[in-house]
Amino acid sequence: MSDTKPTVLFVCVHNAGRSQMAAGWLRHLAGDRVEVRSAGSEPADQINPAAVEAMKEVGIDITDQTPTKLTWDAAKESDAIITMGCGDACPVFPGKRYEDWKLEDPAGKGVDSVRPIRDEIKARIEVLLADLLPTS
């Protein structure tokens, strides 16, 4: 059994909503068993307040996260890269696990519209986790 934990990188355009919620869920559900990163091809100035509020409702605080610029190294050093509508801006590396999650963009939406996106992300994270960390 390898003692290195898998690294997951979530990428969306602004790194302010979907990828931050996904990173929050993975940190919450995996604890320290997975290294979690998130980035954007065109990072926003701040995290979407509706995304922060929607996550707070389920007891997950993402207020300490800031949108981060996607770097070549972050992608190269990740085992799994989950994209969420960043299109051609996402780098592709051979041998990496890629998933493209078609999720509605929460930008400009209120918390009522963000909740279903948050819940869909949680369901996808649970499937990803079961695959990354199979129970022995």
Side-chain angles (χ1 to χ4, degrees):
M1 165 107 182
S2 168
D3 62 353
T4 60
K5 56 186 173 182
T7 301
V8 178
L9 172 65
F10 296 102
V11 184
C12 66
V13 177
H14 300 300
N15 189 219
R18 293 166 290 187
S19 55
Q20 293 288 358
M21 288 191 288
W25 274 122
L26 187 54
R27 283 186 193 99
H28 178 74
L29 296 170
D32 61 0
R33 297 176 299 160
V34 176
E35 185 175 333
V36 181
R37 301 174 177 166
S38 73
S41 51
E42 297 172 27
D45 296 332
Q46 65 178 34
I47 295 185
N48 178 334
V52 170
E53 184 61 31
M55 293 300 284
K56 190 181 292 179
E57 290 176 355
V58 293
I60 300 173
D61 182 3
I62 59 171
T63 55
D64 62 339
Q65 302 299 309
T66 52
T68 304
K69 178 80 174 153
L70 175 64
T71 65
W72 182 265
D73 286 345
K76 187 174 73 174
E77 295 165 9
S78 298
D79 298 306
I81 300 173
I82 313 294
T83 58
M84 304 170 183
C86 66
D88 297 336
C90 296
V92 175
F93 292 93
K96 300 287 181 193
R97 172 184 178 151
Y98 284 92
E99 290 185 27
D100 184 38
W101 293 358
K102 305 279 187 227
L103 296 164
E104 192 177 339
D105 189 347
K109 293 181 170 45
V111 72
D112 288 344
S113 301
V114 174
R115 282 185 196 112
I117 302 168
R118 172 200 69 200
D119 296 343
E120 182 178 348
I121 290 171
K122 179 185 182 190
R124 290 173 183 247
I125 291 294
E126 290 170 337
V127 170
L128 177 68
L129 248 182
D131 200 39
L132 286 176
L133 302 171
T135 52
S136 43

